[in-house]
């Protein structure tokens, strides 16, 4: 049958029988009428078999004048008439219902009828090759790197690009046609006369594809094709930030457009972010009605909170789920920053602050300077690697925990005693102000509005945080010893607070606190530092000593890695609860010892793990063994 000629009912046109892999033999009879002008797949089949392309529909879906009996009929009306005529002619055997995909308009839901028409295309083969080579050479790189596969996939199999669109809004195609002599002219002018016959020409009613216009954005906004100052300075730019869903639509098209028109890539880095999905992980869409209006979020929580939420706990290229609770947590962080700043400025008042000598700073001052110094170094490194989520989490942890929860609490007594010891208060205020300014600068890319407001109120040396100097790591501020002292103070404070909470001891009840340190250096350090954290451990008095001399046998204990804390709270403590607490601690330490010993006795781990990791585990083993010995000793005393 293939190659034979058939008579097409109604119009009685002669058409050939062809064979093609496109036809699904399981669907219907396995025979299908091909209409190249009204189906994209049929169009491809027509190209392969050189079939005639015959259009039967007008722009408004009515039958064309070539078929007088049906001319002007609406498509639905014409279909009924044609079926009736086929039946009358004896050409219709039967009708069946079939389920199939029908395109509809997303706005008015009208069925869309495919219809072949002349369109403007961009020939892509010569444009794609330089864009592929530019990424392979490393002129432009993707972050994360694996997204270059998406880039290559589209470019290596690319087809010519249709750039004309039948839309009301957009850049109108600058082509003009003469209806008399069929001349065509492309011009920048808004009107045009035919160069052949002199008559007014008609402009193409179509608009350019949005992505065609957008592809020109990197250089067309800078005065191109003129050699402007802006073009020289800003092109090519450094980093493009965009979603993975428009790598083909936008990134690729900017790349080949930039290379074609300027000779260079438009950017050296493409940072890919994921999509913001709803709390169930679904893509936000009009049909689901699950979209989030950013303006509503900003109205309720502020722009800073929204920006912070979108970066926190997110890695390049990964989708994230939107939770209102996370935005609220970000707002709470902004409040924390605001309240800490207000506390500092309220106590600072009109006092003039001078920079003290580093050697005269208290150990807690040196610690927080060292900590913010390390933070600046790590955050800068993270941001240079586009690890924005990692960087902002470090800033969050430092500001909330180290600065607000620890350092401000450490120095409060010095602030309140500024009349009695102005030199110490000055050092504390200078450190508070300096560390806050550094923190605000590091936080500014994520929370620009609140940081700008606080920065401009807090200082007058720099005009705006937006153009201020970025914090730079200073070797002079690096102080590992001060960090160790701060860690020791925090361990003791946490341990005492945890025990008192477990025993339901009211904060108002003060107790004597004994700090027993067998190491003379630790003992000497505590003697110097105890005044910094005494008010945080609810102590009436603090004694630092090398052994348990003078401490009651039934004193409540807290075991840390370097110090054992005792509190004589015999009238408050529940001895059975104390035994239970120490028993739980013993069980926890047994688990830690089992884990560490398991790793160190594992030949595979010992042969493959880095030396640094092995050293860390050995250090943990020694620490846990020391803590276990102390816990067992305390249990023995309670049980005796």
């Amino acid at each position: 049958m293939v190659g034979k000629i058939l008579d097409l009912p109604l119009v009685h046109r002669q058409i050939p029988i062809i064979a093609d892999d496109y036809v699904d033999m399981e669907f219907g009879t396995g025979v299908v009428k091909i209409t190249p002008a009204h189906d994209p797949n049929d169009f491809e089949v027509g190209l392969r078999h050189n079939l005639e392309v015959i259009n039967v529909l007008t722009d408004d879906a009515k039958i064309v004048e070539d078929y007088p009996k049906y001319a002007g009929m609406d498509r639905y009306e014409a279909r009924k008439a044609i079926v009736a005529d086929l039946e009358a002619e004896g050409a219709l055997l039967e009708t069946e219902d079939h389920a199939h995909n029908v395109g509809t308009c997303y706005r008015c839901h009208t069925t869309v009828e495919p219809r072949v028409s002349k369109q403007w295309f961009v020939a892509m083969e010569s444009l794609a090759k330089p864009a592929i080579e530019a990424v392979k050479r490393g002129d432009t790189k993707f972050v994360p790197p694996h997204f270059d596969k998406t880039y290559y996939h589209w470019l290596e199999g690319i087809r010519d690009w249709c750039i004309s669109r039948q839309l009301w809004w957009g850049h109108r195609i600058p082509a003009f046609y003469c209806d008399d002599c069929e001349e065509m002219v492309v011009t920048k002018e808004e009107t045009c006369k035919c160069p052949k016959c002199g008559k007014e020409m008609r402009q193409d009613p179509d608009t350019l594809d949005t992505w065609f216009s957008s592809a020109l954005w990197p250089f067309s906004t800078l005065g191109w094709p003129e050699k402007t100052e802006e073009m020289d300075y800003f092109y090519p730019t450094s980093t493009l930030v965009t979603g993975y869903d428009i790598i083909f639509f936008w990134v690729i098209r900017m790349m080949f457009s930039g290379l074609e028109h300027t000779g260079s890539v438009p950017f050296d880095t493409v940072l890919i972010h994921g999509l913001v999905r709803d709390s169930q992980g679904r893509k936000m869409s009009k049909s689901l009605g699950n979209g989030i209006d950013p303006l509503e979020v900003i109205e309720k929580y502020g722009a800073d909170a929204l920006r912070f939420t979108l970066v926190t706990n997110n890695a390049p290229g990964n989708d994230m789920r939107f939770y209102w609770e996370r935005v609220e947590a970000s707002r709470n962080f902004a409040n924390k920053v605001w309240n800490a700043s207000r506390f500092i400025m309220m106590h600072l008042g009109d006092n003039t602050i001078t920079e003290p000598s580093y050697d005269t700073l208290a150990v807690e001052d040196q610690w927080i300077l060292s900590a913010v110094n390390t933070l600046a170094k790590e955050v800068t490194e993270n941001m240079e690697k586009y690890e924005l989520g990692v960087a902002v989490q470090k800033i969050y942890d430092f500001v909330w925990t180290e600065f607000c929860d620890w350092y401000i609490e450490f120095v409060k007594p010095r602030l309140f005693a500024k009349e009695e010891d102005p030199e110490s208060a000055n050092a504390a205020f200078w450190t508070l102000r300096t560390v806050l300014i550094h923190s605000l600068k590091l936080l500014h890319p994520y929370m620009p509005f609140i940081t700008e407001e606080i920065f401009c109120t807090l200082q007058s040396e720099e005009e705006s945080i937006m153009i201020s100097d970025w914090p730079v790591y200073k070797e002079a501020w690096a102080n590992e010893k001060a960090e160790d002292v701060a860690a020791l103070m925090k361990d003791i404070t946490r341990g005492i607070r945890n025990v008192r909470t477990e025993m339901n001891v009211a904060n108002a009840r003060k107790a004597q606190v004994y700090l027993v340190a067998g190491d003379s250096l630790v003992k000497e350090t505590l003697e110097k530092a105890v005044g910094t954290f005494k008010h945080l451990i609810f102590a009436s008095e603090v004694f630092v000593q090398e052994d348990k001399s003078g401490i009651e046998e039934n004193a409540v204990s807290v075991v840390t890695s370097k110090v054992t804390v005792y509190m004589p709270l015999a009238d408050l403590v529940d001895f059975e609860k104390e035994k239970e607490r120490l028993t739980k601690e013993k069980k926890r330490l047994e688990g830690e010892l089992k884990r560490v010993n398991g790793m160190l006795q594992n030949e595979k781990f010992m042969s493959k793990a880095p030396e640094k990791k092995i050293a860390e585990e050995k250090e943990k083993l020694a620490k846990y063994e020391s803590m276990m010995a102390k816990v067992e000793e305390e249990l023995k005393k309670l049980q005796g």
Side-chain angles (χ1 to χ4, degrees):
M1 294 291 289
V2 176
K4 293 185 179 295
I5 302 298
L6 294 180
D7 182 73
L8 185 63
L10 296 186
V11 295
H12 301 292
R13 184 169 57 251
Q14 304 299 297
I15 60 174
I17 298 176
I18 62 171
D20 196 275
D21 292 338
Y22 163 66
V23 179
D24 183 1
M25 297 299 292
E26 303 301 318
F27 184 80
T29 63
V31 179
V32 62
K33 166 69 171 60
I34 297 296
T35 55
H38 296 289
D39 183 274
N41 294 310
D42 287 8
F43 182 79
E44 296 295 330
V45 174
L47 290 178
R48 288 195 290 270
H49 297 276
N50 197 29
L51 301 180
E52 187 179 2
V53 179
I54 302 172
N55 175 47
V56 301
L57 291 176
T58 63
D59 289 347
D60 55 354
K62 293 180 180 178
I63 304 300
V64 297
E65 294 180 357
D66 296 343
Y67 307 93
K69 183 174 182 180
Y70 311 107
M73 280 189 181
D74 176 78
R75 53 185 161 163
Y76 299 115
E77 181 186 357
R79 283 170 184 162
K80 293 177 183 178
I82 289 170
V83 170
D85 287 349
L86 285 171
E87 190 172 12
E89 193 176 280
L92 182 65
L93 296 179
E94 63 177 310
T95 59
E96 288 183 27
D97 290 334
H98 291 288
H100 63 122
N101 295 323
V102 178
T104 58
C105 175
Y106 76 94
R107 287 185 176 177
C108 63
H109 308 294
T110 301
T111 299
V112 176
E113 298 291 348
R115 175 178 174 272
V116 71
S117 60
K118 287 186 177 182
Q119 303 292 327
W120 287 89
F121 284 81
V122 173
M124 286 305 306
E125 185 176 354
S126 62
L127 297 175
K129 289 179 181 178
I132 293 171
E133 291 303 316
V135 173
K136 287 186 175 180
R137 283 195 308 268
D139 296 347
T140 297
K141 66 178 184 294
F142 282 83
V143 179
H146 65 81
F147 280 105
D148 64 3
K149 294 181 176 61
T150 304
Y151 179 86
Y152 294 137
H153 169 76
W154 282 105
L155 277 175
E156 289 170 350
I158 202 163
R159 302 172 67 175
D160 289 344
W161 175 20
C162 177
I163 60 168
S164 49
R165 294 289 181 269
Q166 292 71 53
L167 299 172
W168 287 110
W169 299 104
H171 293 149
R172 194 169 178 182
I173 290 177
F176 292 80
Y177 308 99
C178 180
D179 293 326
D180 286 354
C181 65
E182 298 185 352
E183 177 70 0
M184 183 189 74
V185 174
V186 174
T187 177
K188 294 179 181 179
E189 304 302 323
E190 294 185 4
T191 61
C192 185
K193 286 190 177 182
C194 180
K196 284 188 175 180
C197 66
K199 293 188 177 180
E200 286 291 332
M201 301 183 80
R202 170 180 55 85
Q203 187 174 358
D204 195 312
D206 290 355
T207 59
L208 290 166
D209 178 9
T210 297
W211 298 110
F212 182 89
S213 302
S214 300
L216 309 177
W217 177 82
F219 50 88
S220 65
T221 55
L222 303 175
W224 175 87
E226 304 299 326
K227 291 186 176 295
T228 63
E229 183 180 345
E230 291 79 8
M231 186 76 178
D232 288 339
Y233 185 84
F234 290 108
Y235 190 92
T237 190
S238 55
T239 305
L240 170 73
V241 183
T242 190
Y244 61 74
D245 54 330
I246 55 174
I247 289 176
F248 169 66
F249 293 110
W250 197 30
V251 179
I252 285 174
R253 287 160 175 173
M254 281 193 284
M255 282 290 288
F256 67 65
S257 296
L259 286 163
E260 174 68 16
H261 295 297
T262 72
S264 60
V265 296
F267 27 73
D268 59 42
T269 304
V270 181
L271 174 60
I272 300 295
H273 60 71
L275 304 181
V276 180
R277 299 181 179 272
D278 70 8
S279 59
Q280 300 178 46
R282 300 174 301 175
K283 189 173 181 179
M284 295 184 186
S285 67
K286 293 179 181 178
S287 58
L288 289 175
N290 61 342
I292 302 293
D293 185 348
L295 295 178
E296 291 182 7
V297 183
I298 292 170
E299 179 68 24
K300 189 172 183 180
Y301 293 108
D304 282 333
L306 177 58
R307 290 169 60 96
F308 195 85
T309 300
L310 295 177
V311 180
T312 306
N313 298 322
N314 198 24
N318 290 346
D319 291 349
M320 67 167 291
R321 297 189 180 192
F322 182 89
Y323 297 98
W324 284 101
E325 296 83 358
R326 288 184 58 194
V327 187
E328 186 173 350
S330 298
R331 188 274 314 273
N332 293 344
F333 176 64
N335 288 346
K336 185 86 168 180
V337 174
W338 182 267
N339 289 334
S341 304
R342 187 174 63 176
F343 171 83
I344 293 168
M345 289 186 280
M346 178 177 67
H347 286 277
L348 179 59
D350 297 328
N351 293 318
T352 301
I353 301 301
T354 58
E355 181 176 353
S357 167
Y358 182 83
D359 295 336
T360 64
L361 293 174
V363 67
E364 62 268 25
D365 301 335
Q366 294 179 351
W367 157 65
I368 199 66
L369 286 173
S370 182
V372 79
N373 195 38
T374 301
L375 178 71
K377 180 181 179 181
E378 292 183 355
V379 166
T380 301
E381 290 174 352
N382 291 137
M383 293 184 73
E384 287 175 348
K385 296 176 183 177
Y386 300 99
E387 297 168 345
L388 306 182
V390 176
V392 78
Q393 189 62 50
K394 289 179 179 179
I395 298 168
Y396 176 93
D397 291 340
F398 173 82
V399 171
W400 190 294
T401 305
E402 305 303 320
F403 186 61
C404 294
D405 289 356
W406 284 111
Y407 181 70
I408 290 179
E409 295 302 320
F410 280 153
V411 300
K412 276 183 178 179
R414 294 163 62 191
L415 305 184
F416 299 149
K418 58 186 176 184
E419 301 297 333
E420 294 82 1
D421 191 348
E423 185 177 343
S424 176
N426 176 78
F429 277 125
W430 179 86
T431 307
L432 281 167
R433 183 176 178 272
T434 301
V435 174
L436 177 57
I437 287 173
H438 276 64
S439 302
L440 292 173
K441 289 181 177 181
L442 295 173
L443 181 60
H444 179 67
Y446 306 96
M447 288 186 153
F449 302 104
I450 190 173
T451 51
E452 173 75 7
E453 179 69 21
I454 296 171
F455 182 82
C456 291
T457 307
L458 184 62
Q459 57 81 57
S460 58
E461 291 84 0
E462 295 180 284
E463 180 184 353
S464 168
I465 197 170
M466 293 184 286
I467 53 175
S468 64
D469 293 332
W470 182 255
V472 177
Y473 182 80
K474 300 177 182 178
E475 287 291 344
W477 283 7
N479 193 327
E480 189 175 343
K481 183 179 178 181
E483 291 184 13
D484 289 341
V485 174
L488 180 62
M489 293 191 294
K490 289 189 284 185
D491 279 348
I492 293 170
T493 303
R494 272 192 296 260
I496 292 174
R497 286 177 171 179
N498 289 342
V499 168
R500 289 177 63 103
T501 299
E502 289 173 12
M503 298 168 62
N504 294 318
V505 180
N507 291 344
R509 299 191 69 94
K510 307 296 181 184
Q512 290 183 332
V513 175
Y514 293 84
L515 305 178
V516 177
D519 188 301
S520 59
L521 288 177
V522 174
K523 177 177 177 292
E524 182 182 346
T525 298
L526 286 173
E527 287 172 340
K528 293 178 180 177
V530 71
T532 300
F533 64 99
K534 177 183 176 182
H535 62 289
L536 300 179
I537 58 176
F538 317 105
S540 56
E541 292 182 276
V542 179
F543 303 95
V544 182
Q545 52 194 62
E546 294 181 358
D547 52 39
K548 283 191 62 179
S549 300
I551 301 175
E552 297 177 7
E553 287 298 318
N554 60 354
V556 177
S557 63
V558 178
V559 179
T560 70
S561 58
K562 295 181 179 179
V563 177
T564 303
V565 181
Y566 295 94
M567 293 175 287
L569 299 174
D571 55 332
L572 299 174
V573 70
D574 183 326
F575 291 106
E576 290 304 316
K577 280 190 176 181
E578 178 62 8
K579 288 180 185 178
E580 183 181 346
R581 186 188 67 79
L582 286 170
T583 301
K584 284 182 180 179
E585 178 65 4
K586 181 181 178 182
K587 186 175 180 180
R588 184 187 74 83
L589 290 170
E590 286 173 348
E592 294 291 350
L593 286 167
K594 182 179 179 181
R595 182 191 66 78
V596 175
N597 279 316
M599 293 180 72
L600 294 176
Q601 292 169 12
N602 186 313
E603 293 183 6
K604 189 175 181 181
F605 171 78
M606 296 296 289
S607 63
K608 293 187 175 182
E611 291 185 10
K612 183 180 179 182
K613 177 64 176 175
I614 294 173
E616 287 175 357
E617 294 303 320
K618 287 182 177 179
E619 189 177 323
K620 288 179 184 177
L621 177 63
K623 182 179 79 170
Y624 292 143
E625 286 176 342
S626 174
M627 292 173 70
M628 177 63 86
K630 292 176 182 177
V631 167
E632 287 178 338
E633 182 183 350
E634 294 307 314
L635 270 173
K636 185 178 179 181
K637 289 175 182 177
L638 283 175
Q639 291 166 352

